[in-house]
Amino acid sequence: MINRILNILKLISEIIAKNDDYNSVLTKIVKLLAKHLNVEVCSIYVYDNSSDSLILAATQGLNKKSVGKVMMHPGEGLTGASFQENKILNISNSYKHPQFMFFKNTGEAKYKSFLAVPLTAGGNCLGVLTMQRIKPEKFSSSILDMAKSLSTQLANLILNAKMLNALSGNNGNGKSNHHVPENRKEQLLLRGIAANSGIAKGAAFIFKSRDFFHTVHHELSSDTEKELAVFDKAIALTKKKTLELEGRALSMISEADASIFHVHLLFLEDRTLLEAIKKEITANRHTAEYGIKIIFQEYQKRFKHLKDQAFREKVMDLKDVLLRLIETVRGMKSGSDGSVTFKNLPEKLILIAEELLPSDLIRMPIDRISGIACEKGGITAHVAILAKALNIPALMGIKEISRKARENDEILMDCHAELIYIRPTEQIKKNFEDLIRSGSLDETLPVDSTPCSTTDGVNITLRANISLICETSLLKKYGAQGIGLYRTEFLYMIRDYLPTEEDQYKVFSRIMKEAEGNEVTMRILDTGGDKPLPYMNFPKEDNPALGVRGTRLLLSREDILRPHLKAILRAGISGKLKILFPMISASSEIRAINKILAEIKDELRKNKIKFAENYKTGIMIEVPSILFDLDKLINEVDFMSIGSNDLLQYIFAADRGNEALSESFQSFHPLFLKILKQAGNAFSGRKDKTLSICGEFAGNPLAAPLLTGAGIYDLSMAPRRIPEVKKTLKMFSSEECRQLLENALKLQTPQEVISLLGKTITDKSRG
Ligand code: PEP
Ligand code: MG
């Protein structure tokens, strides 16, 4: 290959030497590359600073008239995305990609596969080399390597041409009449950080930031005594309103204990803070509003210097409560109550804000919010945690979104890719529909309340994964046979402090009762990794995913573990309890936790406190080490549950949250299926033990027959996924599932497995 590259480079040098016109050099180069790399289309896009766009500078294969006319901004379309992210894109079917953008009159309609290689020199991306082919197949690694090797040469060529242009006083633009794709001016693509995953669409509702400090002006009060009296009353009234907000939050998310507002009350009772404001009112004769503003600004500076990010984010809470305090003062002075009301809201809205405070969210009609997009705030902010708890897809840190989106704009959010489309093109919308469909979430399916069994009568238990009490209502709605995974961590994450044993007992008891006699699998606190507990100030780790997390962490913090287990055991009397231990990596951890459980039971007995005597214990299969010890471990537990999310992450050494690694994180990989089969084998013939699965894979209807084929008959998933998984499973016999798995295991790639499954299921549904 090296010789081929050298040969091409030599030919390029010859072209450069022979031509003084840069445009004709590029034209000859694309022709040469198309021929030597055997691709139908080869194009070069060059970035133009003055118009902040990539312009088609030369092409072999596309309509030559498009040269100088087709343009896109960084981030737009696949070429723009490759440029903006400085990333190679190698796509087998570009039309199916959500970022694909179609350009009219280029003649590109027939080309399916797409390769984009950023042209980078001196650390700057100057353009993009693209290749296209009719055949929907990824480009081979040898073409990829060649394109990469040539990219530096091409980038330097562009750099030199630009420099020369600049020296000659030409800004290098001079292009007019740029061809814009349909709605190009309309569509904008922005990037954020996912606080909660998912896909959302809706109409933009631009939340006007309540940060109205700038409207509070320097004013001297004429009557200090009166001002102080207003301030004192405002404090009392704001506390009352805060309690009302707590009530509203509580009715929405019971576990919250509305503790988000707890910190607000603490601020409203903080003597140092209140005295400082009062001093502004008395000593400096400021109005109450201005006094509050001055002190907020002082505190804001102090917050900035705090080392801990989670603490720094608390400045939002202080701002929230002080703004509400000013609202109250103003209301008292003007005779209104300063309450915020929302009118004419769209049915399905994407809440867009520069900054969103917890009380803003609680005051909104939550049922209408499909997605949240914020400029400010990190993933540990309260709003982010609330979004997660309420299961609303959310992106934070999106630059200038509140300025770039307009009221009622159509918005699409892909939180998996951390992208948000404002005014998406028809093509993007269509691709999104496909994306939603490929997630196979058909919410229109009628709920089938009959049990799930294969055509030959093998029963499969379908359970629900939940995190919140309010989700228990979904069990009946979607026909779940109990709770296969209750993630207790939300109870901890939604607060600013550790919940007490009583706090936990109350929430757990409700969960048990609302499962109405069905089994409830309570997973003990699985914090660390992607589920941090900011207020605990655990030591900082370089690799939290490989750090002290899950059961390991609890074993090192019995002060957290013991009250937690007590609450679970006590609540267990209200139903059928199963206790699940996460992130188990060796049998010693099971023994350690069982020892503590035994001690706790003794203590409860001694204190005559009722608790569940009959419960089952199980472990998550998510750390690869235990896969090698299943035969022994099976004797130490009643059940095991495969946590495919983490198991995949550790098997492929690919961060589950890292989009760039999504290709390595492939649940349909034959290698992963082999692991599932091996786990199933360890349980075959063990009627007394159950193997279940509760990672995302369990809720994928395509995966369902494979899981049955592997002998996994207990699946737990997001409740909404149950109907479709059930429908799929009811079409197969257990033997067909087994055979399907065997066939899948013979394949090489996840893509092959997916197409086999897609085809088999489509054939089945056609009868
Ligand atoms: C898993 O890892 O598959 C799992 C179910 O647990 P979580 O996603 O909560 O880590
Ligand atoms: Mg996990």
Side-chain angles (χ1 to χ4, degrees):
M1 187 184 80
I2 245 339
N3 283 343
R4 251 175 105 190
I5 295 175
L6 287 177
N7 185 31
I8 296 174
L9 284 178
K10 189 170 143 264
L11 293 170
I12 290 180
S13 305
E14 284 171 8
I15 294 173
I16 298 170
K18 272 192 213 141
N19 295 268
D20 52 3
D21 169 9
Y22 153 74
N23 287 327
S24 55
V25 167
L26 291 187
T27 310
K28 290 197 172 139
I29 290 178
V30 287
K31 195 169 171 192
L32 174 102
L33 291 183
K35 183 173 160 215
H36 284 258
L37 302 183
N38 194 21
V39 292
E40 281 114 342
V41 178
C42 179
S43 314
I44 292 177
Y45 292 81
V46 176
Y47 178 67
D48 172 53
N49 301 52
S50 59
S51 61
D52 182 33
S53 51
L54 284 158
I55 300 173
L56 179 63
T59 182
Q60 173 68 26
L62 296 184
N63 185 349
K64 294 267 186 311
K65 287 192 185 137
S66 310
V67 171
K69 289 183 183 148
V70 166
M71 60 171 275
M72 73 278 301
H73 287 304
E76 283 185 330
L78 295 169
T79 308
S82 161
F83 176 85
Q84 190 176 51
E85 293 166 40
N86 204 350
K87 188 169 129 187
I88 294 179
L89 293 178
N90 185 4
I91 295 160
S92 57
N93 195 336
S94 53
Y95 288 80
K96 288 202 175 147
H97 198 281
Q99 269 167 282
F100 175 74
M101 188 184 270
F102 180 67
F103 290 88
K104 264 184 169 178
N105 305 327
T106 53
E108 67 174 351
K110 57 180 183 282
Y111 303 108
K112 299 278 187 314
S113 57
F114 181 89
L115 174 69
V117 181
L119 302 176
T120 307
N124 283 327
C125 194
L126 302 161
V128 180
L129 169 70
T130 66
M131 294 184 198
Q132 289 164 277
R133 271 180 173 166
I134 292 174
K135 219 168 161 196
E137 227 176 44
K138 281 194 176 188
F139 286 82
S140 66
S141 54
S142 66
I143 291 202
L144 212 68
D145 288 345
M146 269 192 270
K148 272 196 266 181
S149 312
L150 294 169
S151 65
T152 320
Q153 174 89 350
L154 291 174
N156 279 316
L157 175 67
I158 297 168
L159 192 66
N160 290 342
K162 283 195 165 198
M163 182 190 68
L164 291 173
N165 258 334
L167 283 176
S168 66
N170 182 349
N171 68 10
N173 180 10
K175 311 271 190 304
S176 58
N177 265 335
H178 290 137
H179 221 45
V180 290
E182 282 167 286
N183 295 335
R184 190 197 60 73
K185 280 201 187 101
E186 291 303 313
Q187 178 175 285
L188 262 181
L189 173 62
L190 301 175
R191 192 166 268 283
I193 307 161
N196 192 30
S197 63
I199 289 172
K201 61 176 182 176
F205 173 71
I206 317 284
F207 186 84
K208 302 283 176 304
S209 166
R210 282 198 308 120
D211 186 350
F212 50 75
F213 277 119
H214 61 282
T215 67
V216 179
H217 300 296
H218 182 205
E219 243 180 291
L220 292 181
S221 78
S222 50
D223 186 342
T224 306
E225 285 305 309
K226 204 169 146 198
E227 206 64 34
L228 270 184
V230 170
F231 179 69
D232 280 337
K233 268 199 193 145
I235 293 280
L237 199 58
T238 311
K239 275 191 207 166
K240 189 170 156 270
K241 284 193 201 166
T242 305
L243 288 170
E244 281 166 16
L245 277 179
E246 276 200 4
R248 190 166 146 66
L250 251 171
S251 65
M252 283 161 41
I253 338 158
S254 328
E255 314 39 21
D257 179 28
S259 63
I260 288 173
F261 295 104
H262 203 94
V263 62
H264 290 202
L265 286 173
L266 289 180
F267 282 134
L268 289 172
E269 277 167 8
D270 187 89
R271 288 183 67 82
T272 324
L273 174 73
L274 299 187
E275 287 309 320
I277 300 174
K278 283 186 178 174
K279 199 167 152 221
E280 286 299 318
I281 299 173
T282 48
N284 297 332
R285 300 182 60 83
H286 287 139
T287 57
E289 300 92 308
Y290 194 66
I292 297 170
K293 173 176 167 169
I294 295 280
I295 296 305
F296 172 68
Q297 287 170 339
E298 261 180 35
Y299 269 67
Q300 198 177 25
K301 276 186 216 141
R302 287 191 225 163
F303 268 98
K304 264 196 194 129
H305 292 112
L306 294 177
K307 279 211 188 90
D308 191 313
Q309 150 129 20
F311 287 162
R312 282 200 305 274
E313 283 174 6
K314 290 283 173 287
V315 75
M316 303 261 253
D317 288 299
L318 179 65
K319 185 191 256 184
D320 189 351
V321 71
L322 291 188
L323 284 170
R324 287 196 293 113
L325 192 56
I326 293 179
E327 269 170 6
T328 314
V329 171
R330 282 180 169 175
M332 286 170 69
K333 287 184 177 173
S334 71
S336 78
D337 76 346
S339 300
V340 186
T341 49
F342 298 102
K343 289 192 195 116
N344 305 328
L345 286 180
E347 263 317 302
K348 273 191 176 297
L349 62 90
I350 303 284
L351 181 57
I352 294 181
E354 185 185 346
E355 176 180 70
L356 206 56
L357 304 173
S359 67
D360 295 331
L361 192 56
I362 297 292
R363 286 196 265 191
M364 296 276 305
I366 295 287
D367 47 332
R368 294 201 182 180
I369 304 176
S370 306
I372 296 173
C374 271
E375 259 169 56
K376 292 189 188 159
I379 51 166
T380 57
H382 268 144
V383 170
I385 295 173
L386 268 177
K388 215 172 165 95
L390 294 165
N391 211 5
I392 303 174
L395 289 177
M396 314 293 281
I398 314 168
K399 280 197 194 122
E400 300 194 330
I401 176 109
S402 60
R403 216 172 47 75
K404 292 192 167 161
R406 296 186 298 246
E407 202 70 37
N408 276 320
D409 267 352
E410 196 167 356
I411 307 282
L412 293 176
M413 285 173 68
D414 178 354
C415 299
H416 301 292
E418 303 192 311
L419 294 173
I420 178 162
Y421 295 84
I422 305 171
R423 306 178 287 274
T425 58
E426 286 307 315
Q427 185 62 47
I428 292 283
K429 281 195 264 180
K430 193 189 155 298
N431 294 344
F432 248 77
E433 291 304 327
D434 292 347
L435 205 68
I436 292 169
R437 237 174 281 128
S438 69
S440 300
L441 196 59
D442 184 355
E443 294 196 37
T444 58
L445 270 186
V447 176
D448 164 7
S449 52
T450 60
C452 178
S453 54
T454 54
T455 54
D456 55 334
V458 172
N459 286 330
I460 305 193
T461 311
L462 303 182
R463 308 180 198 259
N465 288 355
I466 66 159
S467 303
L468 298 167
I469 298 173
C470 62
E471 290 175 283
T472 51
S473 65
L474 304 177
L475 303 187
K476 262 216 186 94
K477 182 168 176 197
Y478 293 106
Q481 293 158 278
I483 299 167
L485 173 65
Y486 168 54
R487 290 179 165 106
T488 52
E489 45 275 11
F490 272 96
L491 175 60
Y492 288 75
M493 287 167 81
I494 205 82
R495 288 155 189 262
D496 279 327
Y497 52 90
L498 276 178
T500 62
E501 182 187 323
E502 274 320 294
D503 291 337
Q504 300 181 53
Y505 169 68
K506 276 190 209 142
V507 173
F508 297 162
S509 295
R510 278 189 61 189
I511 299 266
M512 293 302 299
K513 282 183 193 137
E514 293 186 22
E516 296 181 343
N518 290 302
E519 284 183 326
V520 175
T521 315
M522 293 224 181
R523 184 174 71 185
I524 64 170
L525 177 66
D526 183 19
T527 186
D530 61 329
K531 288 168 269 182
L533 272 191
Y535 59 85
M536 283 309 293
N537 267 332
F538 294 130
K540 198 172 163 357
E541 297 175 305
D542 285 342
N543 279 311
L546 302 179
V548 187
R549 57 169 295 198
T551 302
R552 273 182 212 163
L553 181 125
L554 291 178
L555 286 171
S556 71
R557 289 293 303 261
E558 290 192 24
D559 56 323
I560 304 176
L561 176 62
R562 286 182 181 261
H564 184 47
L565 287 178
K566 268 191 215 163
I568 293 176
L569 285 176
R570 286 174 56 203
I573 54 170
S574 303
K576 285 190 192 146
L577 175 67
K578 287 167 97 176
I579 308 178
L580 179 57
F581 308 133
M583 300 297 299
I584 292 290
S585 61
S587 62
S588 54
E589 290 160 353
I590 308 177
R591 284 195 291 276
I593 201 127
N594 277 335
K595 183 168 167 274
I596 293 175
L597 260 176
E599 287 168 9
I600 287 172
K601 285 195 286 185
D602 281 349
E603 192 186 321
L604 289 171
R605 258 184 225 116
K606 218 184 282 161
N607 294 328
K608 300 204 169 17
I609 299 172
K610 283 193 192 155
F611 66 93
E613 293 273 4
N614 292 321
Y615 58 87
K616 293 179 179 158
T617 53
I619 57 169
M620 298 277 294
I621 304 184
E622 50 188 353
V623 179
S625 56
I626 64 166
L627 288 169
F628 303 92
D629 212 13
L630 290 178
D631 298 353
K632 269 201 225 136
L633 289 174
I634 198 169
N635 299 315
E636 307 202 22
V637 293
D638 300 304
F639 70 100
M640 295 193 198
S641 191
I642 301 170
S644 50
N645 308 340
D646 276 311
L647 185 57
L648 279 158
Q649 140 162 287
Y650 296 121
I651 287 282
F652 288 105
D655 180 351
R656 63 195 261 183
N658 188 338
E659 177 63 17
L661 295 174
S662 58
E663 291 219 1
S664 347
F665 193 77
Q666 294 158 331
S667 29
F668 287 97
H669 201 295
L671 185 144
F672 187 62
L673 303 181
K674 199 165 151 189
I675 291 171
L676 297 178
K677 184 179 165 191
Q678 181 199 326
N681 286 344
F683 279 76
S684 75
R686 295 296 302 255
K687 289 248 159 13
D688 53 332
K689 311 280 174 176
T690 317
L691 174 62
S692 60
I693 175 164
C694 60
E696 304 296 320
F697 199 47
N700 190 328
L702 283 187
L706 293 180
L707 294 170
T708 304
I712 306 169
Y713 305 130
D714 191 327
L715 322 181
S716 191
M717 63 201 78
R720 287 178 309 150
R721 301 215 156 248
I722 292 176
E724 187 130 6
V725 168
K726 190 187 275 188
K727 184 180 150 209
T728 310
L729 282 172
K730 282 187 160 186
M731 295 190 292
F732 287 85
S733 71
S734 57
E735 179 50 30
E736 283 169 334
C737 292
R738 215 190 48 73
Q739 198 49 56
L740 190 58
L741 176 64
E742 287 310 317
N743 293 342
L745 284 169
K746 286 184 200 129
L747 301 173
Q748 300 295 320
T749 65
Q751 286 77 15
E752 285 168 6
V753 175
I754 291 170
S755 48
L756 168 72
L757 294 167
K759 193 177 167 311
T760 313
I761 292 175
T762 315
D763 290 350
K764 278 259 170 215
S765 14
R766 286 195 191 123

